[in-house]
Amino acid sequence: AARHLDVPPVAFTGFFEEGPAYDEREHARRAAAEAGVRLVEVPIRAADLLAHLRELAVALEGPIAGPGSLPQLVVAGRAREEVTVLVTGQGGDEIFGGYARTRIAWLAGAGKLDPAKLPAGLEGYRPLVARLSSGGGSDLADRYFRLVHRGGGLEDLLGDATRERFDAYDARSAFGDAFRREDGDDFHRMSSWERRALLPALLHVEDRVTMARSLESRVPLLDPALVSLAARIPSRIAFGEAESKRILRIAARGLAPASAIDRRDKMGFPVPLGEWAAGPLAADLRERLEDGPLVSAGILAPGAPERLLAGAGGHGRHLWFFLLLSEWMDATGARP
């Protein structure tokens, strides 16, 4: 776009001030400079969580998505001050094999996953690699389930009635039955699953958080012709030996900034929810969970809010889910 416009297009990137593990501005600045794009850097702070949690729960129409929806909303709000339409890269990971879990599952299936010597870009995913030794079968469906499943530890937080329903549901079998209907080799089976089962949820979030700011989001990588083409490219060309977005990197050479094409340590927009829960937001989040509807409705066990806050290290997915569920129930009056 920059090559065809008289005025440089504007791009937006969010960042957190909690340290380099949550800040990609260095990479964004380099890519923007190489592309000839004006970059707007948008800070996302702990106060934004308190300010927007209720709005997010209502806009998303349910307790869905991960904490990444918060920075999406904040960045969308800043973008709306300058533009009415955004172009985003949503879908690239799903159709071109960009997720670490896809690479890990493929390497494990090919007998090439050495936890002591991980390929470039996977060094920070050792906990994910460790999940493959957590027990279970060895076929692709089971390996992939262990990489995408996020329900571990929930049973210790749930109230009695909710835990009974949780324990009665066999998530591993349900996933396996659906996943084993996918066709093709390992790479294409995972890619197809990502597109059918997981991508719609990401598009749901993108649509609602941008619309909440009267902003229209376009996703050119999901042009039907491009998605169809990607699905037909042999995996040895598209994915190679578990090379993230291999075919996209080849196609973009000379078009996209070299620093972006050659980078192997992309982040997934992590949110420092654990740091916030242990620091500036501890009292506010504890009050929201303890005084909200979750404990009284028997969804959370007594004492669970404190355990949620204490165990919210990393990206705090469990904490985020229950915070959003509490706000959604409180806003809508919904009860089990």
Side-chain angles (χ1 to χ4, degrees):
R3 296 178 183 183
H4 296 278
L5 295 174
D6 295 329
V7 178
V10 59
F12 303 88
T13 187
F15 70 94
F16 301 93
E17 298 167 330
E18 276 70 21
Y22 302 99
D23 186 353
E24 291 187 293
R25 280 178 293 174
E26 176 188 345
H27 301 286
R29 289 167 181 167
R30 186 180 302 122
E34 291 181 33
V37 171
R38 178 170 66 89
L39 181 66
V40 174
E41 301 171 358
V42 186
I44 301 107
R45 300 187 172 96
D48 291 317
L49 176 61
L50 300 180
H52 300 301
L53 188 60
R54 172 64 62 92
E55 180 188 9
L56 266 175
V58 174
L60 293 174
E61 300 180 325
I64 63 170
S69 54
L70 173 67
Q72 282 184 272
L73 182 74
V74 176
V75 172
R78 175 63 182 87
R80 184 60 182 85
E81 296 175 12
E82 301 201 34
V83 299
T84 56
V85 180
L86 273 183
V87 173
T88 81
Q90 196 71 268
D93 287 319
E94 289 75 16
I95 67 175
F96 295 117
Y99 286 116
R101 59 177 175 256
T102 308
R103 301 180 65 200
I104 292 169
W106 188 94
L107 288 167
K112 299 179 179 181
L113 184 65
D114 182 358
K117 191 178 181 181
L118 295 174
L122 292 182
E123 296 90 345
Y125 291 89
R126 294 189 182 279
L128 202 60
V129 173
R131 287 188 195 173
L132 290 181
S133 60
S134 62
S138 59
D139 74 323
L140 177 62
D142 193 82
R143 292 198 309 273
Y144 201 60
F145 174 79
R146 279 178 274 162
L147 293 171
V148 300
H149 183 52
R150 298 291 188 270
L154 273 176
E155 60 275 8
D156 298 328
L157 300 168
L158 300 176
D160 292 339
T162 308
R163 188 170 60 250
E164 289 178 8
R165 296 166 64 183
F166 180 83
D167 292 341
Y169 179 68
D170 188 348
R172 185 187 297 266
S173 295
F175 176 89
D177 291 344
F179 187 88
R180 291 185 181 96
R181 291 196 289 268
E182 302 294 347
D183 296 323
D185 59 19
D186 283 5
F187 169 68
H188 284 297
R189 290 174 69 195
M190 288 187 284
S191 182
S192 176
W193 173 264
E194 296 280 358
R195 294 195 307 271
R196 288 197 312 105
L198 303 181
L199 182 58
L202 298 177
L203 294 175
H204 174 108
V205 173
E206 178 151 338
D207 175 66
R208 280 154 179 76
V209 298
T210 52
M211 285 291 98
R213 292 292 176 265
S214 300
L215 190 67
E216 183 176 341
S217 176
R218 304 278 178 85
V219 286
L221 289 180
L222 292 176
D223 182 287
L226 183 57
V227 174
S228 177
L229 173 63
R232 298 194 307 270
I233 298 174
S235 60
R236 70 180 185 278
I237 298 173
F239 197 52
E241 294 289 302
E243 300 172 47
S244 170
K245 297 183 180 177
R246 180 177 187 270
I247 194 67
L248 183 61
R249 294 178 194 272
I250 293 172
R253 184 71 64 183
L255 297 173
S259 63
I261 295 173
D262 295 329
R263 186 183 174 195
R264 294 296 186 272
D265 60 343
K266 188 193 75 167
M267 299 177 190
F269 219 160
V271 177
L273 188 57
E275 284 90 334
W276 293 347
L281 299 186
D284 289 288
L285 298 185
R286 182 181 297 105
E287 180 179 356
R288 285 176 182 244
L289 289 170
E290 291 178 346
D291 296 345
L294 298 184
V295 176
S296 61
I299 295 174
L300 280 179
E306 190 67 37
R307 295 199 297 276
L308 266 173
L309 292 170
H315 306 151
R317 288 181 178 272
H318 289 354
L319 174 59
W320 175 263
F321 169 74
F322 285 114
L323 283 171
L324 206 60
L325 176 61
S326 179
E327 292 295 323
W328 178 75
M329 291 177 64
D330 200 38
T332 63
R335 293 296 183 271

